[in-house]
């Protein structure tokens, strides 16, 4: 004990302790930093591989119209064939591809919604009872989701743009239904009708139907965020994320409401109901009146 105390009193003892502490810190850092560096390197390499895969998917499915560099294309007269995708963002790609609008087979006044091509079809059902079919469907769906994610990442790498909204932002359970109804009637009902049944626009265009279960909350949010085709853009300064979530909650609740009368008649309100009342109700009254007046009494027939 006396030797240790004497050693601690020497002038160089403090420096020795500091050097020992630094050496220990260096050993600990050297033990952990290679793992971090390897993880970062692996993550970077995986991201680069995903971008290359996304570019391959783009070249195969999109470049024929949008150009090899996504710069867009024009015909011989200078009229645009397909727009540039630089800066459109991942949300726009996700909406157009997941709804089957892209790749477009026959560009027209408006590209209709259709089943996505198998490469990007994430709506595959995986609830098969047979194990082999279920595993094959799950594998196919997982690959389609990865393909779509890689394509989104590649387009986003060309110039940024709106990102795909997180699941928490499109959860209908978290939205204010009453507020959503007011916002929908103010901003959307003029084209999509009061119950989201859609409607005709000018120039051969139309507002698509929103009451179908095929239209997911994510697609609703992305449509408001990016303004596809004839739809205006409702960015976060026009409609906040909470406003968009409220509109989604209103639409989801509306599509789940039952029809008290048994038949919704298109659920477009008093127009269809009044038409049915006139044609059926008044028509039956007219037919009944005609039948009564056409039947002559027996006494009049004998005379």
């Amino acid at each position: 004990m006396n030797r240790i105390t004497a050693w601690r009193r020497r002038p160089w003892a403090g420096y020795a302790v500091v050097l020992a502490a630094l050496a220990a810190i260096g050993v600990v850092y050297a033990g952990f930093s290679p793992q971090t560096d390897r993880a970062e390197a692996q993550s970077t390499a995986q991201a680069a591989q995903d971008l290359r895969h996304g570019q391959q998917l783009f070249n195969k499915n999109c470049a024929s119209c949008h150009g090899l560099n996504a710069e867009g294309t024009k015909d011989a007269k200078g009229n645009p064939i397909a727009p540039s995708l630089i800066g459109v963002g991942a949300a726009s790609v996700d909406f157009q591809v997941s709804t089957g609008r892209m790749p477009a087979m026959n560009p027209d006044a408006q590209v209709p919604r259709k089943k996505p091509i198998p490469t990007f079809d994430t709506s595959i059902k995986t609830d098969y009872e047979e194990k082999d079919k279920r595993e094959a469907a799950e594998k196919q769906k997982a690959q389609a989701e990865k393909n779509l994610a890689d394509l989104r990442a590649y387009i986003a790498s060309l110039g940024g743009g709106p990102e795909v909204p997180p699941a928490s932002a499109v959860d209908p359970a978290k939205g204010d239904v009453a507020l959503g109804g007011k916002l929908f009637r103010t901003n959307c009902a003029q084209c999509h009708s009061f119950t989201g049944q859609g409607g005709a626009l000018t120039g051969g265009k139309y507002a698509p139907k929103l009451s179908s279960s095929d239209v997911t909350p994510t697609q609703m949010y992305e449509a408001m965020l990016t303004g596809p085709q004839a739809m205006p853009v409702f960015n976060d300064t026009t409609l906040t994320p909470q406003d968009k979530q409220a509109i989604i909650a209103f639409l989801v609740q509306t599509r789940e409401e039952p029809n008290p009368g048994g038949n919704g008649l298109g659920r477009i309100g008093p127009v269809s109901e009044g038409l049915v009342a006139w044609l059926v109700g008044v028509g039956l009254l007219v037919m009944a009146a005609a039948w009564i007046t056409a039947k002559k009494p027996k006494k009049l027939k004998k005379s």
Side-chain angles (χ1 to χ4, degrees):
M1 194 69 178
N2 293 332
R3 291 181 180 180
I4 295 175
T5 303
W7 180 82
R8 289 175 56 189
R9 291 177 178 176
R10 295 186 180 184
W12 49 266
Y15 298 102
V17 173
V18 172
L19 290 174
L22 291 175
I25 293 173
V27 170
V28 173
Y29 179 79
F32 286 97
S33 61
Q35 296 179 2
T36 304
D37 294 340
R38 282 196 299 270
E40 291 179 354
Q42 290 176 356
S43 177
T44 303
Q46 183 63 45
Q49 183 178 353
D50 291 343
L51 286 178
R52 287 194 297 270
H53 183 226
Q55 185 177 14
Q56 292 172 359
L57 292 168
F58 174 84
N59 292 337
K60 180 179 179 181
N61 299 281
C62 316
S64 59
C65 292
H66 292 282
L68 290 175
N69 297 313
E71 74 279 12
T73 55
K74 298 181 180 179
D75 60 16
K77 297 181 179 180
N79 298 318
I81 298 175
S84 170
L85 299 181
I86 299 174
V88 300
S92 180
V93 175
D94 188 75
F95 174 82
Q96 297 288 353
V97 177
S98 67
T99 59
R101 290 178 169 88
M102 294 291 152
M105 304 303 175
N106 297 308
D108 205 344
Q110 183 163 324
V111 181
R113 181 189 180 102
K114 60 183 184 297
K115 185 176 178 62
I117 63 175
T119 305
F120 303 110
D121 188 5
T122 60
S123 61
I124 300 172
K125 295 183 178 180
T126 59
D127 54 351
Y128 292 99
E129 293 183 1
E130 297 85 348
K131 183 179 179 182
D132 294 339
K133 288 185 178 180
R134 184 172 64 252
E135 290 179 351
E138 290 175 351
K139 184 177 180 181
Q140 186 178 355
K141 183 175 182 178
Q143 184 60 50
E145 290 175 346
K146 185 181 186 308
N147 290 341
L148 184 54
D150 291 349
L151 181 63
R152 293 196 309 257
Y154 172 69
I155 297 300
S157 70
L158 300 178
E163 293 290 334
V164 176
S168 59
V170 297
D171 186 359
K174 298 180 179 179
D176 186 339
V177 177
L179 174 62
K182 294 179 181 178
L183 293 171
F184 183 84
R185 289 187 290 271
T186 302
N187 299 280
C188 317
Q190 295 86 346
C191 297
H192 290 281
S193 82
F194 287 94
T195 54
Q197 298 299 312
L201 302 176
T202 59
K205 299 179 181 180
Y206 59 90
K209 185 178 180 179
L210 301 178
S211 58
S212 172
S213 59
D214 293 336
V215 183
T216 66
T218 299
Q219 292 168 353
M220 294 180 192
Y221 195 107
E222 290 169 343
M224 289 185 278
L225 193 62
T226 62
Q229 302 183 106
M231 183 171 173
V233 176
F234 294 97
N235 56 32
D236 288 344
T237 58
T238 306
L239 288 176
T240 66
Q242 291 76 18
D243 292 340
K244 293 184 179 68
Q245 191 172 44
I247 291 175
I248 292 171
F250 168 74
L251 288 171
V252 171
Q253 185 190 73
T254 301
R255 72 167 58 149
E256 294 175 351
E257 288 178 351
N259 297 311
N263 192 318
L265 302 176
R267 305 189 75 176
I268 57 176
V271 175
S272 61
E273 295 169 359
L275 181 63
V276 170
W278 177 262
L279 294 178
V280 177
V282 177
L284 290 174
L285 290 175
V286 171
M287 291 174 61
W291 179 79
I292 292 172
T293 55
K295 190 174 181 181
K296 297 180 179 180
K298 294 181 178 180
K299 292 182 179 180
L300 293 177
K301 282 185 178 181
K302 291 180 179 180
S303 60

